[in-house]
Amino acid sequence: MTRYSSQNYTLAELAQRLGATLHGDGTVRVDGLSTLHDAGTTDIAFLANRAYLKDLAGTRAAAVMLHPDLVDQCPVPALAIDNPYLGYAHLSRCFAPILPSHQGGIHPTAVIDESAQLGRDVTVAAHAVIGAGVVLGDRVTVGANSVVGEYCTVGDDSLIHPGVTLYHGVIIGARAILHGGAVIGGDGFGFAHDGSRWHKIEQLGGVIIGDDVEVGSCTSIDRGALDDTVIGDNVKIDSQVQIAHNVHIGDHSALAGCVGIAGSTHVGRHCQLGGGVGLAGHLTLCDGVNVTGMSLVTNSIDEPGIYSSGTGSMPNALWRKNAVRFKQLDQLARRITRLERHSEGE
């Protein structure tokens, strides 16, 4: 694995950062993070899923982060922590590379309107465009070939990767991460039909994105038709997601790849939408709803819980038989009802 980071830490330093209990020599230094199977002698590994317990005995890692119950099975120094996967998330930031393109400064090929306001330690990379009336907070990074349209606002410590497009009037909160190809604030799909042709409805709203939001590559978040499209704080959106006009996503929700949400649907707080989930328009999902992958939601959900509608794969011959049976369900249900009534009459 190619390493871009030269950072290294003692185990004692990492244990203190994580609030973990160290078992072993705290002076040992590590310079990378890896899996149990692939770790080298200067890496720290982690065990969050017990399916990988089989790799623990043979690991070459300098140390392993794991649950306290497994310390006795660890052949190398251990950092014991109740939630190893959360610890892994924190450790990943310790070893994240600081790339030259994120180290401050304005590239000479960047185009920045004279009315734009740039905070302290802002980075604007090659061929990026910053439009009129834009406000960039402190330590914002705008990647190469990205466009921040007129009158946008981007909060402190936000990272806009290369090739991102913000249309006019978009508001991005602090510490946002927008990945390449994301388009924020494009027109929603609004047209009126006169019986023979379509007429465009101008989209007059904007997009408001809260703090600590991450948006994946090639994801589109449309501006509102009249009111704003709103993404709450700490929302995590995967790649190739479509969020239509006037959608509201509540705080701390997560959307996996290829989710599609039609216009004016409201998703509550702490919701999770699996890959390929589709939500019809003008629906409301209450807080705490989890929709499993490839499900289609056509009605509002007012009780928290796990919901599914997609069917698992099966051999084609069996699927063909089941498809025929599915078309016969109404007929079969009517026959059962008639039989029940006949049985009750006897």
Side-chain angles (χ1 to χ4, degrees):
M1 179 178 66
T2 302
R3 288 273 167 79
Y4 297 99
S5 174
S6 59
Q7 301 170 82
N8 64 86
Y9 306 89
T10 67
L11 295 183
E13 289 171 336
L14 293 179
Q16 183 176 15
R17 288 188 181 213
L18 295 171
T21 302
L22 174 62
H23 297 264
D25 184 358
T27 65
V28 172
R29 302 194 76 88
V30 293
D31 60 12
L33 176 62
S34 189
T35 63
L36 287 169
H37 183 269
D38 295 327
T41 56
T42 62
D43 291 328
I44 183 169
F46 67 99
L47 176 57
N49 186 333
R50 296 195 181 219
Y52 296 98
L53 186 60
K54 63 184 184 300
D55 295 326
L56 181 59
T59 188
R60 297 173 57 242
V64 177
M65 180 177 59
L66 39 59
H67 192 273
D69 292 347
L70 299 174
V71 168
D72 291 343
Q73 300 181 49
C74 187
V76 296
L79 276 67
I81 187 170
D82 288 336
N83 188 339
Y85 197 70
L86 180 60
Y88 160 56
H90 293 320
L91 276 186
S92 69
R93 291 197 289 273
C94 293
F95 295 101
I98 301 174
L99 301 177
S101 60
H102 300 166
Q103 291 181 338
I106 309 299
H107 195 277
T109 63
V111 178
I112 302 176
D113 189 273
E114 61 182 12
S115 66
Q117 301 177 42
L118 276 58
R120 294 180 292 107
D121 302 319
V122 166
T123 298
V124 183
H127 303 291
V129 177
I130 310 298
V134 166
V135 177
L136 301 182
D138 297 339
R139 298 171 300 281
V140 168
T141 294
V142 180
N145 299 305
S146 287
V147 176
V148 181
E150 291 86 348
Y151 305 106
C152 287
T153 299
V154 181
D156 295 347
D157 299 296
S158 289
L159 170 58
I160 299 174
H161 280 285
V164 172
T165 300
L166 305 185
Y167 279 61
H168 62 280
V170 169
I171 299 174
I172 307 290
R175 299 173 300 279
I177 301 174
L178 309 180
H179 289 279
V183 178
I184 314 296
D187 281 355
F189 193 68
F191 300 90
H193 201 269
D194 67 3
S196 61
R197 62 189 299 270
W198 293 101
H199 298 265
K200 183 176 179 60
I201 300 172
E202 294 298 331
Q203 305 293 288
L204 306 181
V207 176
I208 300 175
I209 293 180
D211 296 338
D212 301 297
V213 171
E214 184 157 352
V215 178
S217 59
C218 299
T219 281
S220 296
I221 303 176
D222 294 345
R223 67 191 316 106
L226 292 173
D227 299 324
D228 296 321
T229 301
V230 178
I231 310 297
D233 294 339
N234 194 232
V235 172
K236 308 303 179 185
I237 302 172
D238 199 0
S239 301
Q240 297 183 343
V241 170
Q242 164 64 31
I243 297 176
H245 54 193
N246 302 108
V247 167
H248 284 221
I249 308 292
D251 299 346
H252 314 294
S253 290
L255 287 63
C258 297
V259 164
I261 304 179
S264 300
T265 283
H266 286 223
V267 176
R269 294 161 50 93
H270 297 284
C271 291
Q272 299 179 41
L273 305 182
V277 164
L279 304 184
H282 303 276
L283 305 182
T284 298
L285 273 60
C286 69
D287 297 346
V289 169
N290 185 334
V291 183
T292 61
M294 304 303 293
S295 296
L296 175 62
V297 179
T298 58
N299 296 290
S300 293
I301 298 174
D302 57 11
E303 292 287 339
I306 301 174
Y307 294 81
S308 302
S309 73
T311 58
S313 64
M314 63 192 75
N316 180 258
L318 178 58
W319 177 86
R320 290 165 65 94
K321 292 177 182 178
N322 288 338
V324 172
R325 298 292 185 267
F326 183 79
K327 290 189 293 185
Q328 296 171 343
L329 283 178
D330 182 66
Q331 178 184 355
L332 290 171
R334 293 174 184 272
R335 290 178 59 188
I336 291 171
T337 299
R338 288 197 297 269
L339 289 171
E340 289 177 340
R341 289 174 178 171
H342 179 73
S343 176
E344 292 172 355
E346 290 181 348

